[in-house]
Amino acid sequence: MELPTRFDPKEHEQALYAAWKASGAFQPQPARAGRSTYTVMIPPPNVTGVLHMGHALNNTMQDIAVRYHRMCGDETLWVPGTDHAGIATQAVVEKKLFSERKLKRKEMGREAFVAEIWKWKEEHGAKILEQLARLGASCDWSRTKFTMDEDLSAAVRESFVRLFEKGLIYRGARLVNWDCVLETAVSDDEIEMVERKDKLYYVRYAIEGQAERFITVATTRPETMFGDTGVAVNPEDERWKDLIGKRAVLPFIGRAIPIVGDETVEAKFGTGAVKITPGHDPADYERGARFKLPIITMLEKNGVLNGECGPFAGQPREKARTNLIAELEKLGLFEKSVDLVHNVPLSDRSKSVIEPLVSEQWFVKMAPLAEPAIEAVKNGALRFHPERWTKVYLDWLTNVRDWCISRQLWWGHRIPVWYDEDGVAIASRTDLAIGSKHPKTGKPIVRQDEDVLDTWASSWLWPFATLGWPKRTSDLERYYPTQFLSTARDIIYLWVARMVMAGYEFCDHLPADKRCPFSVVNVHATVLDAQGRRMSKSLGNGIDPIEMIEKYGADAVRYSLILLTREGQDTKLAPDRFEQGFRFGNKVWNAARFVLSNLAGERTDGTLASAQRLEDRWILSRLERTRRSVSQALEEYRFNDAASELYRFVWNDFCDWYLELAKPRLQGGDASAAAARGVLARVLGDALAMLHPFTPYITEVLWRALRETLGDSKPAMLVVTPWPNGAGLDLDAAAEQQFELIQGVVGAVRSVRALTMVGERKPLRALICAPREGERAVLSEHGASAKALAFLENFDLRASAERPPSSACALHGGVEVFVELGADVDLEKLRGVLAGRRDKLEKSIQQLDGKLSNASFVERADPEVVAGERARREEMALERELLARNLAGL
């Protein structure tokens, strides 16, 4: 089959993906003998979302796992879907309606506004799933789910009612994150911490009963003083300790508040005295509880100061701050302000400053649910990869707080609670009509709760609700629990821990050892820009995966991301880094073109029995070793290790070494040529199969070309072809050791060429000194290979010898390689160049030694970074030794 000179992704990707889908390859097929089910649930992206590099990395990892297990013969299911993303979607549609039609949500009414969101969802909600398909994600699209589908909505109601009836859901007043623009509580993951330059204001409070005595507090939010119910100082602070037990008087409203001694107050920050505002600060909420201080709310839900604020009531919080400072200054109660850089919480939707606010909300009691989720890690039912993320999970569960599940929105699962005329609440799996009788009190139902549930209150059911729960469906029985979840670190507690809790709580029809929703959680790296910053819209430093796919192809994007993402380390990314995957794809393509052109006319894979030459035995052993290594890495979700192993095998072993030795053999029509063709066909076929989970498009095209070249008129697609099983192969340690010697000698000659700046293919004469008899025997038998690869015109092999005059040398183990330098080499000039390189290298080694002797660096840096620097130090030392030997010899 004639292949074009370059692989064109645009020519193949769309057609191949359509063919995969149409064939049913993405749907689960019965497991082969000895295999089982393998299920993955996609972390549902927001329905408002577009593909970013974090999505691209995570879904590439999932697709690699899914494609690998599919090829291994598991009954493989990858369920896709999207999240309704309550606050995000409502904000997008609300903004769109006002900008395009000047419509406001509250003027439209709930029913009409929600209808507009559903309309928007139908038009735009599938965009990110379409983008995932561009990436090559092999999901079973026939099972696509949305968190507000009818069956998932029924599951959400079932879970709420169960918890309500068990007394695990309650309504109460607690401090929550409040968005004053959207007027709703928001979860921690909907907050963005932004560094801002602000002011720290020093305000004086008078001491009750002591004329001219004041206590000065330092605060970034002076307007919240109207919610103060105390002042705290460190009991060891000599400036204020005598005031403990006395009362300070708030300006403008005259309320007296106690001064308390608290050891947690930092005496060195500000004035050492801090105001306690339990209703508007999380730390103050805790501190106020310890000292039994009342909670006063001084802010309306729209961010306007309320009636507690005296003359400032009715003013927006930002304006009130400015006016308050001006009035305090008039009264002599404002001392000064100083610049302060600190992190400010912003709503990631409205971009307004989050206000901690005490509000009546619905909560879930988390402590009882956390116990089995903690035990899941301890008994091995749940594992984190990398393992260090286990601590993040356990720390949160051990100190878990009750979960605020209500949101003051219209888009989402409306809380299934109804009230009678006396306000008595009842949760129901079905809607209760207004005017119908309350199931418990018998009084008329007058209203349903206005709030909707937190988005996480539906997505925590994702692993089993997508399979039909609470019904006992065949999918639920067959595919739950799942095997693998890949996700980001910042939602380990927001989503992962909650899913584990939900699995143990709601899948009570299963034995305890079958309730954990997944057995492995892969916490993937964070994708950063080239400067190490998180990618964000505000910085404008994001890289669009679709743009990179358009430029380089999906395979290059996928392979580059995995090659660049080492386990346990975040990934620094720039657009040109995708060149690595692109170049690798070209290397594979060109190698395949060469192999296929030399298999023309063959109608068999060839027999490996005749492959007795050293290079044949070596490459087949390396193929089997690579297969075992890659298989093990994929079983353990070490994606970078697997990709790197394949990269080294294909680029170095196959292309740089074996193909170069096979080329002259293929020119003849003898048994050696036939053996080489058989080896080429086998190695290319197995390599394409192992690469397929990483680079599915180019490998599918080349697989078809290979099978057709070998006489298979209707080859099965690679996507469903069995993973290589190593049949007919074994490890050949002797061949690998012998060929490593050949590589070492060739590498030594190449080092000399680089050192002396002699052309890569200029014929040279070499003297090889190999003291060991076994090594001489190998070099004697296979010297022709070394001679050809190193471009040597003469190859003199001895046990020992004096160094020839005008020669350069290099080492491989105990073997010395001397290369004669021609008369055209200016030895004096060469000595000067080598001396300069030696001196420069010596300085680099000294700098690196200083770095490695710095205990702070060694202790704080990532262990892999330290190991890399030590390895670099060893390489430099070897190069220094080589330079020294050659300077002495010259």
Side-chain angles (χ1 to χ4, degrees):
M1 179 179 179
E2 187 70 24
L3 289 175
T5 56
R6 300 287 293 270
F7 174 68
D8 183 1
K10 293 179 181 178
E11 179 183 344
H12 296 285
E13 287 180 355
Q14 188 173 351
L16 275 177
Y17 199 86
W20 286 332
K21 279 182 67 178
S23 72
F26 297 167
Q27 296 173 346
Q29 303 299 322
R32 292 198 285 270
R35 305 299 299 189
S36 58
T37 58
Y38 184 80
T39 311
V40 177
M41 298 293 175
I42 201 169
N46 288 353
V47 72
T48 57
V50 293
L51 197 70
H52 58 62
M53 276 301 167
H55 290 132
L57 173 61
N58 189 19
N59 285 281
T60 295
M61 288 178 167
Q62 291 174 77
D63 195 44
I64 290 169
V66 165
R67 286 178 182 269
Y68 166 71
H69 280 274
R70 184 184 291 125
M71 293 174 76
C72 285
D74 290 325
E75 186 174 335
T76 305
L77 172 63
W78 187 13
V79 176
T82 50
D83 191 291
H84 67 279
I87 191 170
T89 307
Q90 178 162 318
V92 166
V93 176
E94 198 164 356
K95 182 178 180 180
K96 181 176 183 289
L97 288 172
F98 185 77
S99 64
E100 294 180 358
R101 295 155 60 184
K102 302 303 179 204
L103 292 175
K104 293 185 177 180
R105 170 171 60 94
K106 292 183 179 178
E107 294 172 357
M108 296 174 65
R110 185 171 195 145
E111 187 175 341
F113 179 71
V114 170
E116 287 290 338
I117 298 180
W118 275 109
K119 181 180 176 183
W120 180 92
K121 185 263 177 186
E122 295 306 317
E123 292 176 359
H124 305 284
K127 181 176 181 179
I128 193 166
L129 297 183
E130 294 167 359
Q131 291 177 322
L132 286 175
R134 285 289 309 274
L135 187 67
S138 58
C139 305
D140 183 353
W141 300 106
S142 68
R143 285 179 164 86
T144 302
K145 291 293 184 181
F146 176 55
T147 51
M148 286 184 64
D149 284 345
E150 186 176 339
D151 54 346
L152 269 71
S153 296
V156 170
R157 277 211 180 181
E158 177 67 27
S159 65
F160 185 97
V161 173
R162 285 195 190 188
L163 295 178
F164 185 91
E165 291 176 348
K166 290 179 69 172
L168 294 178
I169 284 183
Y170 65 95
R171 188 166 176 82
R174 293 287 179 88
L175 195 70
V176 297
N177 303 313
W178 189 263
D179 185 324
C180 295
V181 173
L182 297 176
E183 296 188 38
T184 181
V186 297
S187 60
D188 290 341
D189 72 305
E190 294 163 333
I191 294 174
E192 181 182 1
M193 299 304 293
V194 177
E195 188 174 84
R196 282 190 175 181
K197 187 176 181 181
D198 219 330
K199 296 286 186 183
L200 185 65
Y201 300 93
Y202 288 67
V203 179
R204 305 169 75 196
Y205 290 177
I207 302 302
E208 185 180 47
Q210 295 188 30
E212 304 304 318
R213 183 82 191 271
F214 299 88
I215 187 169
T216 303
V217 298
T219 178
T220 57
R221 301 195 301 157
E223 71 279 2
T224 62
M225 68 162 59
F226 302 109
D228 289 1
T229 55
V231 174
V233 300
N234 193 300
E236 301 300 320
D237 192 334
E238 295 295 335
R239 295 169 295 176
W240 310 117
K241 63 189 300 183
D242 66 309
L243 293 179
I244 295 173
K246 294 182 170 49
R247 301 204 299 175
V249 180
L250 293 175
F252 305 110
I253 59 175
R255 183 167 69 241
I257 58 177
I259 300 172
V260 300
D262 186 348
E263 293 177 351
T264 65
V265 174
E266 295 181 28
K268 293 182 180 180
F269 179 77
T271 65
V274 295
K275 56 200 287 299
I276 305 175
T277 320
H280 296 279
D281 183 276
D284 288 356
Y285 185 84
E286 299 292 338
R287 184 173 278 146
R290 288 203 307 274
F291 290 99
K292 296 182 171 56
L293 300 177
I295 296 173
I296 295 175
T297 299
M298 44 67 61
L299 203 65
E300 300 289 356
K301 292 183 176 180
N302 60 359
V304 171
L305 275 63
N306 64 19
E308 297 285 349
C309 305
F312 301 93
Q315 296 184 18
R317 52 185 171 163
E318 295 84 1
K319 182 179 179 181
R321 180 179 302 173
T322 303
N323 294 339
L324 175 65
I325 294 301
E327 293 302 316
L328 287 169
E329 198 163 14
K330 291 177 184 178
L331 296 174
L333 298 178
F334 174 64
E335 284 191 7
K336 64 177 180 179
S337 65
V338 296
D339 290 337
L340 176 71
V341 177
H342 66 147
N343 288 325
V344 177
L346 301 185
S347 167
D348 68 357
R349 299 304 165 189
S350 69
K351 303 305 178 185
S352 64
V353 176
I354 288 294
E355 189 70 44
L357 195 70
V358 174
S359 175
E360 281 277 336
Q361 303 286 344
W362 287 98
F363 294 88
V364 175
K365 293 179 182 178
M366 298 293 274
L369 301 178
E371 292 175 9
I374 292 171
E375 182 59 28
V377 165
K378 292 182 177 180
N379 65 23
L382 177 64
R383 291 185 295 110
F384 280 83
H385 178 79
E387 195 277 333
R388 71 174 185 272
W389 295 109
T390 305
K391 185 177 186 301
V392 174
Y393 171 88
L394 288 176
D395 284 351
W396 184 77
L397 285 172
T398 303
N399 303 287
V400 71
R401 297 182 180 184
D402 288 354
W403 173 20
C404 174
I405 57 169
S406 49
R407 298 290 181 269
Q408 289 64 53
L409 303 170
W410 287 353
W411 174 245
H413 297 98
R414 192 166 175 180
I415 290 178
V417 169
W418 284 260
Y419 302 89
D420 70 7
E421 57 191 15
D422 296 328
V424 177
I426 184 73
S428 176
R429 292 173 175 81
T430 58
D431 286 353
L432 300 180
I434 303 302
S436 62
K437 288 185 178 182
H438 191 291
K440 290 190 175 179
T441 67
K443 295 184 178 181
I445 293 291
V446 296
R447 66 183 179 90
Q448 184 181 355
D449 198 288
E450 291 291 324
D451 292 349
V452 300
L453 289 166
D454 178 14
T455 295
W456 300 109
S458 54
S459 55
W460 77 325
L461 310 175
W462 188 252
F464 47 88
T466 49
L467 297 173
W469 184 92
K471 295 179 180 178
R472 303 281 184 86
T473 63
S474 58
D475 274 3
L476 183 64
E477 296 298 323
R478 192 162 190 80
Y479 300 115
Y480 186 88
T482 73
Q483 282 65 51
F484 178 64
L485 174 75
S486 187
T487 190
R489 69 189 63 167
D490 48 0
I491 55 174
I492 289 174
Y493 58 89
L494 289 166
W495 189 45
V496 177
R498 287 171 178 164
M499 283 191 288
V500 177
M501 287 188 266
Y504 280 99
E505 175 66 21
F506 300 121
C507 293
D508 50 0
H509 65 289
L510 295 173
D513 63 344
K514 299 293 185 183
R515 294 187 192 179
C516 190
F518 25 74
S519 52
V520 174
V521 176
N522 177 65
V523 182
H524 65 75
T526 299
V527 181
L528 309 173
D529 70 6
Q531 299 176 42
R533 302 173 301 175
R534 289 185 78 111
M535 294 183 179
S536 68
K537 290 181 181 178
S538 59
L539 290 175
N541 62 343
I543 302 173
D544 184 352
I546 299 302
E547 287 183 10
M548 296 299 100
I549 290 173
E550 288 290 334
K551 184 174 183 180
Y552 296 107
D555 290 330
V557 169
R558 291 164 62 109
Y559 207 63
S560 298
L561 282 172
I562 299 302
L563 278 177
L564 293 169
T565 306
R566 298 180 67 185
E567 183 181 326
Q569 295 184 22
D570 289 339
T571 304
K572 291 183 180 180
L573 195 62
D576 60 2
R577 300 299 296 276
F578 293 102
E579 290 280 354
Q580 185 175 13
F582 182 72
R583 288 194 300 269
F584 180 71
N586 285 341
K587 190 79 168 180
V588 172
W589 184 262
N590 289 333
R593 287 183 71 240
F594 171 79
V595 172
L596 294 178
S597 68
N598 282 281
L599 294 180
E602 298 288 327
R603 287 296 177 266
T604 174
D605 287 285
T607 175
L608 300 182
S610 60
Q612 295 301 313
R613 290 183 58 142
L614 176 61
E615 63 263 30
D616 295 338
R617 292 166 50 218
W618 169 76
I619 194 65
L620 292 173
S621 181
R622 287 290 302 128
L623 175 65
E624 173 59 8
R625 192 175 298 279
T626 300
R627 184 194 69 82
R628 295 183 187 186
S629 177
V630 170
S631 300
Q632 184 68 24
L634 291 179
E635 290 289 339
E636 296 171 358
Y637 303 109
R638 293 183 286 109
F639 300 106
N640 174 267
D641 288 351
S644 299
E645 189 76 22
L646 282 168
Y647 187 96
R648 287 189 292 268
F649 174 76
V650 172
W651 194 296
N652 299 337
D653 295 346
F654 188 51
C655 296
D656 288 355
W657 292 96
Y658 186 76
L659 289 187
E660 293 305 312
L661 288 171
K663 284 176 182 177
R665 294 169 58 189
L666 294 169
Q667 303 307 312
D670 57 6
S672 176
R677 290 189 180 95
V679 171
L680 287 171
R682 176 60 182 270
V683 174
L684 178 61
D686 282 10
L688 291 176
M690 288 189 286
L691 282 169
H692 179 75
F694 301 87
T695 55
Y697 292 107
I698 191 171
T699 52
E700 188 72 75
V701 171
L702 292 175
W703 175 260
R704 182 178 182 85
L706 174 63
R707 298 314 307 165
E708 289 182 351
T709 299
L710 295 173
D712 190 345
S713 60
K714 293 184 178 180
M717 288 192 291
L718 183 54
V719 68
V720 293
T721 294
W723 183 257
N725 61 7
L729 301 178
D730 205 347
L731 301 182
D732 188 335
E736 291 192 45
Q737 185 177 13
Q738 291 169 18
F739 198 80
E740 184 182 343
L741 179 59
I742 302 297
Q743 290 176 304
V745 169
V746 174
V749 175
R750 289 172 178 172
S751 294
V752 169
R753 288 182 184 275
L755 194 70
T756 58
M757 296 165 287
V758 172
E760 286 184 7
R761 301 200 173 195
K762 178 184 176 182
L764 297 175
R765 301 169 66 87
L767 169 63
I768 313 296
C769 293
R772 298 187 185 91
E773 184 178 349
E775 290 178 332
R776 287 199 307 279
V778 172
L779 291 172
S780 176
E781 183 179 356
H782 304 290
S785 296
K787 186 177 175 182
L789 290 168
F791 295 97
L792 296 174
E793 63 181 8
N794 187 61
F795 184 96
D796 189 2
L797 178 63
R798 302 181 190 177
S800 63
E802 292 293 325
R803 178 173 185 160
S806 301
S807 67
C809 72
L811 290 172
H812 171 69
V815 177
E816 287 186 295
V817 179
F818 300 101
V819 178
E820 295 181 23
L821 301 177
D824 57 334
V825 176
D826 185 334
L827 297 181
E828 192 62 36
K829 181 179 178 181
L830 179 59
R831 276 193 291 268
V833 171
L834 297 186
R837 287 173 61 178
R838 177 200 58 197
D839 295 343
K840 184 178 180 181
L841 185 63
E842 193 62 52
K843 289 181 181 178
S844 297
I845 289 175
Q846 289 174 3
Q847 291 174 351
L848 194 51
D849 284 344
K851 189 176 184 180
L852 290 171
S853 64
N854 184 335
S856 177
F857 167 73
V858 174
E859 291 170 5
R860 295 181 182 179
D862 190 294
E864 291 192 16
V865 173
V866 176
E869 294 290 72
R870 285 179 174 149
R872 193 158 68 94
R873 171 66 172 79
E874 291 178 10
E875 290 173 6
M876 288 180 174
L878 290 172
E879 186 178 354
R880 178 175 59 183
E881 181 185 350
L882 181 62
L883 285 166
R885 288 174 63 87
N886 280 285
L887 278 167
L890 290 173

